[in-house]
Amino acid sequence: MRLGVLDVGSNTVHLLVVDARPGARPLPAYSHKTELRLAEHLDDDGAISPGGVSALEELVGEALEIGEDKGCQSVLAFATSAVREATNGEEVLASVDASTGVHLGVLSGDQEARLTFLAVRRWFGWSSRRLLVLDIGGGSLEIATGVDEDPDAALSVPLGAGRLTRGWFTSDPPARSEVKELRKYARAEIAKYAGQVLRFGAPDHVVGTSKTFRQLARVCGAAPSAEGPYVKRTLTREVLHQWIPKLAAMRSSERAQLPGVSAGRAPQLLAGALVAEAAMDILEVEELEICPWALREGVILRHLDTMPPEDFA
């Protein structure tokens, strides 16, 4: 069967179309992504502006049409931190539903972490033993650890690359004092939760997922995406530490010239690097491996797990 998953995140509205069947991995068939930066449409009261709601409705409607054109039998639609934390989130969901017919389910931070963990576990398998999974999004950092498909601990920390860039940097490139203060803040926030993760013991395999970690790994020397998803890609704390002063000295336009870095994500790369370094340091990670699967794949896998067999016919 052909499924679509529509992810309304802090940065993008992303439709992923996959072919799925029992006992097989979901095979990507089509991907459509549009930058909306929904978190930048928040007013002073934390509500998504009328313009932001209108743009969201348009993009969701467009994604639904594309899914239909690509033969999706159903579309799983969800939103993450930008809608979850908006003061008018319920009104936004109702408006999208009324205008497009798409019901957006809002994932909690805990659910994001657990579904991403599931995707990573399925990708690497049981031989990874205890996994530690880190995922830096636009609005939050997700952390999960465990030996099964459901993690022992799943946490969401408000340390997303987009959120921190907007909240801490006032110039491009940012002042050295701003970088120093953000670095200090990120470490302090992660330290609050480190005990909940480390009490389960040292991980056997540490994994980073999603765009920020993929871009950081590429900048630090990992293979380009053109070489395919099965090439091993890693990120070491030592090399990342060496790159942070370089990233801090660059304008966003200069970061966008780095390998693997898109113009839209370049402004957030420094904040993401500071969070990644802090997490790796405090959680005692010297090296992590990049996983091509993340939250969207986790949503699909969980859906397939819970579908009755007759629905695949």
Side-chain angles (χ1 to χ4, degrees):
M1 67 182 302
R2 179 157 284 194
L3 290 173
V5 58
L6 180 60
D7 176 359
V8 176
S10 298
N11 290 311
T12 62
V13 175
H14 189 171
L15 173 71
L16 176 66
V17 178
V18 301
D19 290 320
R21 60 184 177 84
R25 69 187 187 280
L27 296 174
Y30 185 78
S31 178
H32 175 77
K33 179 166 59 176
T34 305
E35 286 193 356
L36 174 58
R37 301 198 177 282
L38 194 58
E40 296 180 7
H41 290 273
L42 296 176
D43 62 22
D44 293 339
D45 296 323
I48 298 173
S49 68
V53 176
S54 177
L56 176 59
E57 291 172 352
E58 180 179 348
L59 292 179
V60 169
E62 178 184 287
L64 184 62
E65 290 182 7
I66 292 172
E68 291 173 349
D69 290 343
K70 296 299 178 182
C72 290
Q73 294 171 254
S74 63
V75 175
L76 314 173
F78 66 90
T80 54
S81 63
V83 175
R84 180 171 70 232
E85 297 174 10
T87 56
N88 62 338
E90 291 297 327
E91 292 87 347
V92 172
L93 296 173
S95 182
V96 170
D97 196 344
S99 64
T100 67
V102 174
H103 176 70
L104 284 173
V106 178
L107 297 180
S108 68
D110 174 90
Q111 287 174 314
E112 283 191 59
R114 290 181 181 280
L115 289 167
T116 301
F117 185 90
L118 171 64
V120 173
R121 172 61 75 193
R122 293 281 177 92
W123 180 269
F124 286 112
W126 299 111
S127 62
S128 289
R129 295 180 291 170
R130 174 165 293 281
L131 276 171
L132 171 61
V133 178
L134 306 174
D135 183 345
I136 302 171
S140 58
L141 160 71
E142 272 68 54
I143 306 171
T145 184
V147 295
D148 297 317
E149 290 197 335
D150 191 44
D152 299 317
L155 311 169
S156 182
V157 188
L159 291 176
R163 179 199 298 268
L164 297 179
T165 300
R166 292 187 302 275
W168 289 80
F169 296 157
T170 61
S171 59
D172 185 20
R176 294 175 67 180
S177 59
E178 292 177 340
V179 175
K180 181 179 179 180
E181 286 303 308
L182 177 53
R183 192 176 206 165
K184 180 180 177 181
Y185 173 75
R187 292 178 63 87
E189 286 299 298
I190 294 169
K192 293 178 183 177
Y193 301 93
Q196 298 179 48
V197 177
L198 296 176
R199 70 187 180 92
F200 290 101
D204 299 295
H205 192 181
V206 184
V207 177
T209 72
S210 298
K211 194 73 169 182
T212 296
F213 271 116
R214 289 201 300 270
Q215 290 189 339
L216 289 172
R218 181 71 183 98
V219 167
C220 292
S225 59
E227 294 190 16
Y230 299 107
V231 174
K232 184 175 181 178
R233 296 172 174 87
T234 61
L235 174 67
T236 66
R237 177 154 49 104
E238 180 181 2
V239 176
L240 177 61
H241 179 76
Q242 293 169 1
W243 262 97
I244 285 178
K246 302 175 189 177
L247 295 174
M250 293 178 179
R251 294 182 180 274
S252 296
S253 58
E254 295 173 310
R255 292 185 211 128
Q257 302 304 311
L258 295 171
V261 179
S262 64
R265 298 281 186 144
Q268 304 179 12
L269 190 64
L270 173 59
L274 292 171
V275 172
E277 182 198 38
M280 293 177 75
D281 188 16
I282 291 171
L283 298 176
E284 302 174 4
V285 175
E286 295 297 330
E287 179 181 272
L288 58 77
E289 185 171 358
I290 305 301
C291 180
W293 279 5
L295 177 59
R296 284 181 290 275
E297 287 79 11
V299 169
I300 292 169
L301 291 166
R302 179 61 74 218
H303 179 71
L304 295 176
D305 287 348
T306 57
M307 286 182 65
E310 58 267 22
D311 286 357
F312 287 97

